[in-house]
Structure formats: C-alpha cells, structure tokens
Amino acid sequence: MSFTLNSIPLFDELKNSQNILLAGAGGGFDIFSGVPLFLALQKQGKKVHLANLSFAALGETRATKVCRACWRVDSSEPVATTEPTYFPEKDLSLWYKKTFGENLDVYAFSRTGTVYLTQAYAHLIELLNIDTVVLVDGGTDSLMLGLEPSLGSPMEDSASIAAVYAQPKVAKYLTCLGFGVDHFHGISHYHFLENVAELSKDGGFLGVLSLVPQMEEVVHFLDLIAFSNAQTARPSIVANSIGSALQGHFGDYHVTERTKKSELFINPLMYQYWSFKLDVLAPKIRHLEYIKNTKTFVGLMKGINEFIDSIERKPKKGIPL
C-alpha cells in the first residue's frame, strides 16, 4: 500500500466488504462512537448493520428476541410504562428515524458470557450474510493486553473481542474513538501507545483517522448525542466527552453531572479513530484464555479476576510530555 493524500487504511481494508456489522464492543453507548463510520460507509454504498452489547434489561422491552442472547430494537415508539430510561439502542433507532425518516434496526446483545455471545454473533452473521465485523470501542481500554496497571472495564470489551475473533468466515477489525477518555477509569495512555507500537510492529495497526467538526457525519453525531441526552437518565460520559472535544472545548469541561466530582481532560485527540486488525490483536490479549468458556456475566468477571490474581502488573507510567 502506497501513501496518497486520500489513502485511509481502514477504508482500504473495507473496500471489498459489502455487508458490514458495526458493533459496540464495550456496551452502553459504544455503538454511538461508530455512527460517523456508519454514515460514511453508507455513503460508499455499503450495507451496514448495527449491533451493541447492551446494558438494558432487554427482556423487559418491546425488542424482538432473535436468539438466546440477541434482540432486535427498532424505531417503534417506546411505551413509557415498560421501556427503560437507559436504552442507547432505542435512542439510536429513534434518532435515525427522526433524522432520516427511515427505520433502523439495532441488534442488542445481552450481558452474558463469551460462549453465548459467540453464538449470538454467529447467528447474526449468518442471518444478515455478514462478510466483515468492525468492533467499536468508545474509549481505548479494549487495547489493554493484560499486564497494564489498570485494565479499565475489561469484561464487555474482552467478551466481544473473543466472540468476534472466534468467527471463522468474516474479516475482523477494531476501532477506538476517545483517546484519553479512559483516564476517568484509571487507564494509563502510556500503555495504550505502547500496545499500539507493538501492533504496528506486527502489522496490526491501521492508523489514525480524524473526525473534524465540519464533517456532515460529525454534525449528525453531535445531534445524536444531544437527542440521547434528552432521552436518558444516565447520559454517556464517553460520548459527551468526545462531543465536547469536537465542539472545541478543552481541559476540565463537564456536560454531565456524572463527571462533576472528577477532573476531565477534554482534548482534540479524543476524536481520532485508532483502527486495528482483530486477528493480530486478539492473540495478544492474555486474559481471553480465562474467559472464552464462560456462560454468564458473573463467570466473565470471575475469569478476569482469576487472571488478574495470576499475574504481576507493569508499573504505571505517564506520557513524558
């Protein structure tokens, strides 16, 4: 691959993909971080489906059950007495209908162990004839390989990576949006950059793609965040941090009351996509071996804790800038 002004490695990788599943890896609002990519890939004529590891009580919603650990969420209006107030997948579907006048199905995976999540991905890949899966992480803790001083919140990211890595007939990628956000969760970005360097050495790093406020996709992304903030009882820390950076805010700037007791560092690096080949990344994540046979979220947590108890962590380092 040669360097050209319009060469974007992730899009080069996806140029022959026709039926893409874009899925939030870490749960909650992670799929929001994929919306600019979703809209850009749609412009290229790709068929793009959306999924997310959900924190909502899916069985208590009007979502349609697709298989054991997967539901289909559509843009039918919620029933106030039954729909939860924290339901990012529904927010996204309703926003899309309001903005584009079309229904958008968002597939929601339940919080379960790796075994059933793997089965759900396999079912969805077959159902939708998927040829490519792109996992999206809002934040960067999905790149923690296991020995770092903090793994952030590794359960959901690790289960999603393990589940997608196990799929035999699709191309697989991970992209992260929100560099610096996970400082709020104890992540040292020294170690994130160290891991990017290792992946680059092994051919697994696909570079950095920057959003800019003038992009049509960014305008829609910011509108989605504002729409969701008005719908939910718990606005997204990650999405609002990225949105604040895109709006030109810097430093200790807070949109949501959820962060008021902490110090934030809103900055332009938050709106860069860092992309990776999942087949290169996954074998490097040491704790995947401890969770691959788990069937419940409790089992997932136990597997992660067992791994943590078995290793000696690296000392914490800061970026020397």
Side-chain angles (χ1 to χ4, degrees):
M1 180 174 63
S2 60
F3 175 80
T4 63
L5 289 177
N6 61 355
S7 178
I8 299 173
L10 177 62
F11 285 166
D12 284 347
E13 290 281 331
L14 299 178
K15 66 182 177 182
N16 294 322
S17 300
Q18 294 302 318
N19 225 8
I20 300 168
L21 180 62
L22 196 63
F29 288 91
D30 268 16
I31 190 56
F32 281 27
S33 292
V35 166
L37 279 180
F38 166 65
L39 297 173
L41 289 167
Q42 279 189 324
K43 280 185 180 178
Q44 294 181 7
K46 311 288 187 185
K47 181 68 174 176
V48 189
H49 304 270
L50 297 180
N52 195 48
L53 201 159
S54 182
F55 293 169
L58 295 167
E60 300 175 9
T61 72
R62 298 175 69 191
T64 302
K65 193 168 186 178
V66 175
C67 64
R68 179 181 184 132
C70 182
W71 278 255
R72 179 176 55 80
V73 180
D74 63 28
S75 56
S76 58
E77 289 296 329
V79 177
T81 56
T82 60
E83 294 283 336
T85 57
Y86 180 88
F87 200 177
E89 298 82 13
K90 173 64 84 172
D91 293 351
L92 175 52
S93 186
L94 289 172
W95 168 82
Y96 192 87
K97 180 68 176 289
K98 176 185 77 74
T99 304
F100 298 102
E102 299 176 6
N103 184 58
L104 175 70
D105 291 336
V106 181
Y107 293 90
F109 299 117
S110 58
R111 275 174 119 182
T112 184
T114 303
V115 170
Y116 296 132
L117 187 59
T118 301
Q119 292 173 1
Y121 265 103
H123 182 89
L124 207 54
I125 286 168
E126 182 176 1
L127 176 70
L128 302 175
N129 195 29
I130 298 298
D131 55 48
T132 304
V133 180
V134 180
L135 284 176
V136 181
D137 182 20
T140 57
D141 60 348
S142 56
L143 226 69
M144 298 299 100
L145 304 183
L147 300 184
E148 297 83 3
S150 172
L151 301 183
S153 51
M155 282 74 71
E156 294 87 359
D157 287 330
S158 300
S160 295
I161 289 171
V164 173
Y165 180 55
Q167 307 304 323
K169 298 179 181 180
V170 294
K172 316 169 188 81
Y173 305 94
L174 169 75
T175 190
C176 304
L177 183 71
F179 180 91
V181 167
D182 290 309
H183 177 73
F184 182 83
H185 298 116
I187 290 293
S188 166
H189 287 78
Y190 174 99
H191 298 288
F192 168 77
L193 294 173
E194 181 181 37
N195 295 342
V196 172
E198 181 176 340
L199 287 163
S200 183
K201 179 175 61 179
D202 294 339
F205 179 41
L206 295 173
V208 178
L209 165 64
S210 181
L211 298 175
V212 294
Q214 297 85 354
M215 290 177 174
E216 180 183 358
E217 293 86 353
V218 169
V219 173
H220 286 310
F221 178 48
L222 294 174
D223 186 59
L224 168 62
I225 294 169
F227 177 85
S228 180
N229 285 348
Q231 303 291 317
T232 185
R234 296 182 71 243
S236 171
I237 293 172
V238 172
N240 278 288
S241 294
I242 297 167
S244 295
L246 281 163
Q247 291 169 325
H249 298 290
F250 185 80
D252 193 23
Y253 179 81
H254 299 257
V255 171
T256 168
E257 292 290 330
R258 296 182 63 199
T259 61
K260 287 294 177 68
K261 294 182 180 180
S262 62
E263 183 177 359
L264 300 183
F265 182 51
I266 306 299
N267 68 87
L269 290 176
M270 285 184 170
Y271 46 84
Q272 321 290 318
Y273 281 111
W274 301 67
S275 300
F276 309 91
K277 295 179 181 179
L278 197 71
D279 284 338
V280 179
L281 168 64
K284 295 179 179 292
I285 301 177
R286 295 170 179 247
H287 41 284
L288 292 196
E289 188 67 25
Y290 286 73
I291 65 164
K292 67 179 183 180
N293 295 320
T294 58
K295 293 184 176 181
T296 65
F297 190 74
V298 171
L300 195 63
M301 291 190 292
K302 287 181 177 178
I304 294 289
N305 289 331
E306 181 183 348
F307 165 76
I308 290 172
D309 289 342
S310 73
I311 55 97
E312 182 176 346
R313 294 183 174 189
K314 297 178 180 179
K316 187 170 184 177
K317 291 186 178 181
I319 300 173
L321 295 176

